[in-house]
Amino acid sequence: MRLRHSPGCFLGAGDGRSLLLRGRKSDDQPSRPEIVNLSHVWWSRRTKDGWQTPEMILRDREVNYYSEAMSPGGRWLLWVEYDRDQSMKILRTRLRLMCREGHGWTELQTVVDREGYVQFWNTCIADDGTAAWTTIAGQSWKGYVRAPGGTTICLD
């Protein structure tokens, strides 16, 4: 499989056995011109015989994926999505997560859903699904943490 390069396209889990790949196939085109950074996310697991064929886990020709984070054990994923208009203005920002259970992935969960642009930094997720991130609003940085099923706590 040949992928177009996109920033941050490889991310390994702390256990050394999971790998996220972000990019797109060279012949895959966005559904609309404003989605210039179209990318999909694949996941692969290392076995005693080598790396498994990557499995596509995030694919939407209408969404841009950014700031992917994987838990140390490779079970949880956290990422940012931006919806854009034709002039590239960001209309909506979402922070989402999902978990690998058995041989599949759970339905995605929305942690943050805001109209307009929210700049996320330092996205990370723990093995128990606890998510943490920082946002920037002007010159003010704010940190947040959220346990699975819990409420979001501002660390301000």
Side-chain angles (χ1 to χ4, degrees):
M1 168 172 46
R2 184 169 176 215
L3 298 177
R4 273 179 65 123
H5 173 72
S6 61
C9 84
F10 300 103
L11 176 67
D15 68 359
R17 296 179 36 200
S18 296
L19 183 69
L20 282 183
L21 306 130
R22 182 172 62 117
R24 72 174 187 238
K25 292 182 178 181
S26 58
D27 62 346
D28 196 0
Q29 297 300 314
S31 62
R32 301 185 327 253
E34 64 270 18
I35 305 180
V36 296
N37 294 321
L38 173 73
S39 60
H40 311 302
V41 178
W42 286 266
W43 176 80
S44 183
R45 188 98 177 133
R46 183 179 212 148
T47 65
K48 64 180 179 174
D49 298 325
W51 289 97
Q52 296 174 337
T53 301
E55 165 193 353
M56 187 180 295
I57 55 174
L58 296 176
R59 182 179 196 271
D60 186 334
R61 296 181 72 227
E62 300 287 325
V63 173
N64 290 309
Y65 300 109
Y66 294 94
S67 301
E68 301 88 358
M70 183 172 24
S71 64
R75 187 168 170 238
W76 288 89
L77 299 179
L78 180 70
W79 68 94
V80 177
E81 296 177 1
Y82 298 116
D83 294 342
R84 299 176 188 265
D85 66 14
Q86 292 180 347
S87 67
M88 294 298 294
K89 178 181 176 188
I90 294 175
L91 302 173
R92 174 169 242 105
T93 304
R94 290 183 206 87
L95 180 65
R96 300 203 186 215
L97 63 82
M98 67 182 181
C99 179
R100 183 162 183 84
E101 291 183 352
H103 295 288
W105 293 91
T106 61
E107 286 291 315
L108 62 90
Q109 300 170 37
T110 302
V111 179
V112 175
D113 186 351
R114 299 252 173 84
E115 288 190 27
Y117 176 64
V118 178
Q119 189 172 10
F120 284 87
W121 288 82
N122 308 315
T123 55
C124 59
I125 190 155
D127 279 334
D128 69 355
T130 299
W133 63 93
T134 55
T135 62
I136 301 172
Q139 295 299 315
S140 174
W141 288 69
K142 290 189 177 184
Y144 299 89
V145 66
R146 179 177 172 181
T151 59
T152 299
I153 300 168
C154 181
L155 305 173
D156 192 23

